[in-house]
Amino acid sequence: MKTKPKVGAVQMATGPNVNANLFEAERLIKAAKDKGASLVVLPENFAFMGKRDQDQLALREEDGDGPLQAFLARVAKQQGVWLVGGTIPLAADDAGKIRAACLVFDDRGERVGRYDKVHLFDVCLPEGGERYQESATIEPGDQTVVLDTPFGRMGVAVCYDLRFPEMFRRMLDGGMEILAIPSSFTAITGKAHWETLVRARAIENLAYVIAAAQGGFHINGRETHGHSMIVDPWGTVLAQVPRGSGFICCALDDDYQDSVRRNFPTIDHRRLKCRA
């Protein structure tokens, strides 16, 4: 009988102490590995959430060189897992900004992919008195990413990207079978939309979705929604962490996914294709 690979999603309530955050991330990655996970997804901003968005500029690393990148490579190799490294701040073309980069490492600690967050969270939430302008500090990417992995063709996206379904259709055209989406939804937007969006991306693309989130209260006063989840191609939530630090782990069943895609072939029924 074929062994079904397990995947994990880590949830954190990250603060401004980088060393403490990395210690917690490593602890949770190891815990997920001990439960059988061969692929682990970290949340957006897993290593640092300062009092101001501009604080992350001090942690900016050149691509391929820096302590946060070294941490991800080391832990992936030591734990023998594929690791989707949330987001870390990498150097941008604009010297006053960063790229919110999601790096993927294989189980030997080799980097196999990089995705730069495309859609930036510039919104106002009057009901909570909250205003966000990621574009003030982040330079957007302009490419989608789909990678070959032992678990299937994996698309990578970040948080606010969830609201733009055309992005995932482009990934689907690239063969996407599973989606990793590190996130940090606010308490307000998360309560309203998080589960709906995650499940919708799974259903419309008949794909597994591994959604790792920030979840709790942060020193900067922000509250994030949490509810990290793993969802199957039918939109069923297989596992979930409500709030606080923790992880989830469950198996991917590619035979089930093949069956769903064969018997309910909505992907093949598309009449309007995405433009490149």
Side-chain angles (χ1 to χ4, degrees):
M1 188 172 181
K2 184 170 65 174
T3 301
K4 295 178 172 58
K6 287 187 175 181
V7 298
V10 164
Q11 182 164 293
M12 299 174 66
T14 298
N17 186 319
V18 174
N19 288 335
N21 298 328
L22 296 186
F23 180 86
E24 179 71 350
E26 185 168 1
R27 181 184 74 82
L28 292 167
I29 293 166
K30 183 179 185 302
K33 168 63 183 303
D34 289 346
K35 288 291 185 180
S38 300
L39 167 69
V40 180
V41 181
L42 292 172
E44 184 180 23
N45 299 324
F46 75 94
F48 179 78
M49 286 183 69
K51 292 185 177 179
R52 303 174 307 134
D53 289 343
Q54 292 81 356
D55 293 343
Q56 62 187 322
L57 296 176
L59 297 177
R60 178 174 47 202
E61 298 180 0
E62 293 297 326
D63 188 26
D65 181 30
L68 298 181
Q69 294 169 83
F71 167 82
L72 293 169
R74 176 184 64 79
V75 174
K77 182 177 181 179
Q78 286 183 350
Q79 296 302 323
V81 297
W82 280 64
L83 186 59
V84 179
T87 58
I88 63 171
L90 294 188
D93 294 333
D94 184 333
K97 295 184 179 183
I98 59 150
R99 290 288 184 111
C102 180
L103 306 181
V104 181
F105 292 82
D106 68 15
D107 54 3
R108 297 172 298 172
E110 299 292 330
R111 195 176 99 179
V112 295
R114 169 180 170 175
Y115 166 71
D116 292 352
K117 186 176 184 179
V118 169
H119 299 98
L120 303 183
F121 193 54
D122 289 1
V123 304
C124 180
L125 303 173
E127 60 269 46
E130 300 176 41
R131 183 181 297 273
Y132 300 89
Q133 191 178 4
E134 286 188 335
S135 63
T137 53
I138 297 175
E139 182 179 83
D142 59 5
Q143 299 292 324
T144 58
V145 171
V146 182
L147 305 169
D148 283 318
T149 77
F151 322 100
R153 291 278 289 168
M154 182 174 72
V156 182
V158 173
C159 199
Y160 193 49
D161 289 329
L162 264 176
R163 297 181 181 274
F164 302 90
E166 65 276 9
M167 179 176 186
F168 303 95
R169 285 311 207 194
R170 183 176 293 185
M171 291 183 187
L172 188 65
D173 288 339
M176 180 180 69
E177 296 167 312
I178 61 175
L179 168 66
I181 183 147
S183 299
S184 182
F185 262 57
T186 71
I188 292 172
T189 59
K191 181 179 179 181
H193 302 144
W194 168 251
E195 182 171 334
T196 300
L197 288 168
V198 173
R199 294 179 69 192
R201 298 297 83 85
I203 293 165
E204 67 197 10
N205 298 297
L206 299 179
Y208 281 97
V209 178
I210 311 159
Q214 293 281 346
F217 292 93
H218 305 266
I219 289 176
N220 61 8
R222 182 174 176 179
E223 181 185 0
T224 47
H225 179 64
H227 292 79
S228 297
M229 62 182 72
I230 299 172
V231 180
D232 76 11
W234 196 245
T236 302
V237 178
L238 301 177
Q240 186 174 125
V241 183
R243 292 290 293 264
S245 293
F247 73 95
I248 45 178
C249 181
C250 63
L252 301 183
D253 188 339
D254 58 356
D255 290 334
Y256 171 71
Q257 183 174 32
D258 290 344
S259 175
V260 171
R261 287 187 168 189
R262 182 174 62 252
N263 294 316
F264 201 78
T266 56
I267 294 171
D268 299 328
H269 292 164
R270 288 187 296 160
R271 301 288 295 274
L272 304 176
K273 299 290 180 132
C274 293
R275 290 178 295 177

